[in-house]
Amino acid sequence: MWEQTYEGDKRRSEADRKKCLHHIAASKEWIIEGVHYTWVNESFNEADLIIFLDIHYLKRIGFIIKRYVLQKAKIEKANYAPTFSIFIKMFQWNADFEKQSKPEILHTLRTSYNDKLIIVKKREEIEHFIS
């Protein structure tokens, strides 16, 4: 979605995103973050495994707060300026994800890719799966 440049992050064009996605999906090994599922969904066909991280809504709120505090304190690197405005938008994006995107994504994955879908709800499950 984003191209990191010295001047800051720049949104890729739709054509550039598609080109990058095709290049990645043609590789031997890859991981794609799927929150932008409306345009990365074609990579689901090529995936050997799809892991959906179904982290609880309130836990994601805690992550948003922790990230903001650590970025403002310059303890954690940010690829964008951690402004209060973006901090507030993160809560709205989280709510929108919970109410709209998450059900849509899960419906698509369960309907078309259930045979290669794993839903993980806790860190322990991720660690167990990886090991």
Side-chain angles (χ1 to χ4, degrees):
M1 179 61 116
W2 301 97
E3 179 180 8
Q4 293 180 353
T5 69
Y6 289 110
E7 295 82 35
D9 290 352
K10 181 175 83 173
R11 185 181 290 268
R12 293 181 190 275
S13 69
E14 184 176 338
D16 194 24
R17 285 194 325 249
K18 282 187 175 194
K19 182 179 172 185
C20 288
L21 181 62
H22 289 296
H23 177 73
I24 291 167
S27 302
K28 184 178 176 185
E29 297 176 338
W30 48 270
I31 297 174
I32 294 177
E33 189 268 330
V35 74
H36 302 289
Y37 66 99
T38 56
W39 65 269
V40 301
N41 62 1
E42 66 185 70
S43 68
F44 297 161
N45 290 323
E46 302 299 321
D48 296 326
L49 181 64
I50 300 171
I51 302 171
F52 185 86
L53 301 176
D54 191 10
I55 307 302
H56 191 276
Y57 177 75
L58 294 176
K59 192 162 204 137
R60 292 193 316 258
I61 287 176
F63 292 154
I64 291 167
I65 294 167
K66 181 179 177 183
R67 174 189 284 173
Y68 179 74
V69 169
L70 292 175
Q71 288 176 345
K72 288 302 275 185
K74 300 194 185 307
I75 296 170
E76 181 178 296
K77 184 179 180 287
N79 291 326
Y80 53 86
T83 64
F84 187 72
S85 173
I86 288 178
F87 178 60
I88 297 304
K89 285 180 185 177
M90 292 284 187
F91 292 102
Q92 184 61 52
W93 290 332
N94 188 38
D96 291 346
F97 176 80
E98 188 68 22
K99 291 175 190 165
Q100 183 179 359
S101 301
K102 179 178 160 181
E104 289 176 10
I105 294 168
L106 285 172
H107 175 74
T108 298
L109 294 176
R110 287 179 172 141
T111 302
S112 302
Y113 306 101
N114 201 47
D115 60 325
K116 52 184 167 181
L117 173 63
I118 295 174
I119 298 174
V120 176
K121 294 183 178 278
K122 296 180 180 176
R123 180 181 301 269
E124 298 80 29
E125 293 174 297
I126 297 169
E127 292 169 357
H128 173 75
F129 177 74
I130 291 173
S131 63

